[in-house]
Amino acid sequence: SAPSVHTGHQTGCSGSTWAERTMAGRTKAQKPNEPESEGLDRTELESIKRVFERLDRKNDGKIDRDEIAQQFDILGYKPKRQTDYGTSEVEDMIWEVDEDCDGMIDWENFVQLYVRCRRDKTGCEPKRLFNLIEFMINDKDGGGTINEDEIMEVLYHRYGKDAMQKMTDEVFKHDRDGDKELDFQDFLAIVNAGMHKQSSEKDKGTGSKRSPAAKKK
């Protein structure tokens, strides 16, 4: 089957809503009062805090669509003004992770989406906002680019050592000006290619387990 692509207003691989998947995850894997940031070290928490504060330009403890759109503008990325669902790409990105449905992302939402995407080995978690966060973590000086070592670290954490090595030769084919520095659009091309490959491999692995009825569809 074709690779699954995460777009706004989808309900994830299980067919449940984001909030339902969140609660299910807590029930199965999280002890009472266990923080969502469990497993993140201090350096990683400080890194995502810096990104949150950079995005929270209004300094109100929440990130809204205008703040995300402004960051995209700084990075030279043009999100879709309207998706198939009649909302903008930025609105869809917020919808994917906005548990309290207030149209904004607070610190708790921010940490939750980062932890879930970081731990996700299935490719089911929506990663559009996570892509922005991860790029900004590595773009430490805010210059709008990341270098070869930083993209390899991202690939290692997402896909493991073997996959990282296999992707090494492909990485800088997306480096349009050949300076070994990748901008946000280069970065998206690389990680999205990895996500599609991951999804395709998952489909191949589950294809033989489908029921006869499913195969006829």
Side-chain angles (χ1 to χ4, degrees):
S1 64
S4 59
V5 179
H6 294 295
T7 55
H9 299 274
Q10 286 189 335
T11 55
C13 298
S14 65
S16 59
T17 66
W18 171 263
E20 287 169 345
R21 286 187 289 127
T22 297
M23 293 308 297
R26 286 175 179 165
T27 302
K28 293 178 181 178
Q30 190 175 344
K31 299 175 183 178
N33 301 319
E34 181 183 356
E36 281 284 352
S37 58
E38 182 73 23
L40 295 182
D41 60 32
R42 181 176 179 179
T43 300
E44 202 164 17
L45 276 172
E46 288 176 349
S47 294
I48 62 175
K49 182 66 173 177
R50 283 195 298 270
V51 171
F52 185 86
E53 290 173 348
R54 283 169 63 188
L55 288 170
D56 182 21
R57 291 178 171 83
K58 297 174 184 175
N59 199 30
D60 59 0
K62 293 188 176 184
I63 299 167
D64 60 30
R65 62 182 183 181
D66 293 335
E67 289 167 323
I68 294 175
Q70 186 175 348
Q71 184 62 39
F72 278 151
D73 188 54
I74 291 171
L75 294 174
Y77 177 73
K78 297 181 179 179
K80 294 179 182 178
R81 292 185 178 182
Q82 185 169 331
T83 67
D84 294 340
Y85 301 98
T87 55
S88 70
E89 182 178 350
V90 173
E91 288 173 318
D92 278 357
M93 289 170 63
I94 292 176
W95 182 90
E96 288 173 340
V97 297
D98 178 21
E99 293 188 41
D100 53 12
C101 299
D102 65 352
M104 294 181 284
I105 302 167
D106 60 20
W107 171 242
E108 183 180 359
N109 290 155
F110 200 75
V111 174
Q112 286 172 2
L113 80 91
Y114 181 85
V115 171
R116 293 181 189 284
C117 288
R118 178 64 109 162
R119 293 176 178 174
D120 178 38
K121 302 300 181 184
T122 66
C124 290
E125 293 291 342
K127 288 189 171 67
R128 288 187 290 182
L129 187 54
F130 178 69
N131 288 337
L132 176 61
I133 295 169
E134 199 161 45
F135 182 85
M136 292 179 68
I137 286 174
N138 287 283
D139 178 24
K140 298 177 179 65
D141 62 359
T145 61
I146 61 176
N147 63 32
E148 183 176 8
D149 290 339
E150 289 164 339
I151 186 61
M152 297 314 295
E153 184 178 353
V154 169
L155 296 177
Y156 173 79
H157 282 298
R158 288 203 184 197
Y159 309 117
K161 183 178 180 180
D162 292 340
M164 179 198 73
Q165 292 175 336
K166 290 177 182 178
M167 294 176 73
T168 298
D169 293 338
E170 297 292 324
V171 166
F172 284 95
K173 288 183 179 180
H174 297 282
D175 182 19
R176 292 166 293 175
D177 52 16
D179 62 355
K180 296 292 184 179
E181 293 281 330
L182 303 177
D183 64 20
F184 185 59
Q185 294 183 71
D186 294 327
F187 175 81
L188 287 180
I190 293 166
V191 296
N192 286 337
M195 287 172 62
H196 287 310
K197 183 177 180 181
Q198 183 184 47
S199 180
S200 296
E201 289 175 350
K202 180 186 174 185
D203 287 341
K204 289 178 183 178
T206 58
S208 60
K209 299 179 182 178
R210 292 176 184 170
S211 66
K215 292 179 180 179
K216 291 179 181 179
K217 290 182 180 180

